[in-house]
Amino acid sequence: MDPETKTVKTKDELEKLFRNSGVDLQKPLVATCGSGVTACCIALAAFLCGKEDVQIYDGAWIEWYFKSKPEQRRCCPE
């Protein structure tokens, strides 16, 4: 998002963000994050750049956290 206008950045701006982050939109892409929200934003940005096959891991990392044993958890108190 553009912080000033609160609108989605242009396709050129989004493509530059992906490039600068080392993401090749010609390769398979799976978006993931802590809760699933940011992953959806990444997928939308890629879609706006013409990539229509982005996968989203909808369980997010928090799912793995709750599957772990309590003694293995190092963050995110229950």
Side-chain angles (χ1 to χ4, degrees):
M1 299 287 293
D2 182 296
E4 291 182 22
T5 65
K6 308 293 189 233
T7 59
V8 177
K9 292 182 181 254
T10 67
K11 180 181 176 186
D12 289 340
E13 291 171 314
L14 293 172
E15 287 174 340
K16 183 178 179 183
L17 286 169
F18 282 114
R19 262 193 322 278
N20 290 345
S21 297
V23 176
D24 182 349
L25 293 175
Q26 301 304 310
K27 293 182 178 180
L29 178 61
V30 177
T32 185
C33 66
S35 65
V37 175
T38 302
C40 291
C41 294
I42 292 168
L44 173 62
F47 179 82
L48 294 174
C49 292
K51 183 155 185 70
E52 298 182 7
D53 60 349
V54 179
Q55 302 295 309
I56 296 175
Y57 175 64
D58 61 357
W61 289 107
I62 196 72
E63 174 186 32
W64 288 96
Y65 169 80
F66 285 115
K67 286 183 177 184
S68 67
K69 296 176 184 172
E71 62 272 12
Q72 295 173 318
R73 299 176 185 169
R74 297 181 186 199
C75 72
C76 311
E78 294 181 41

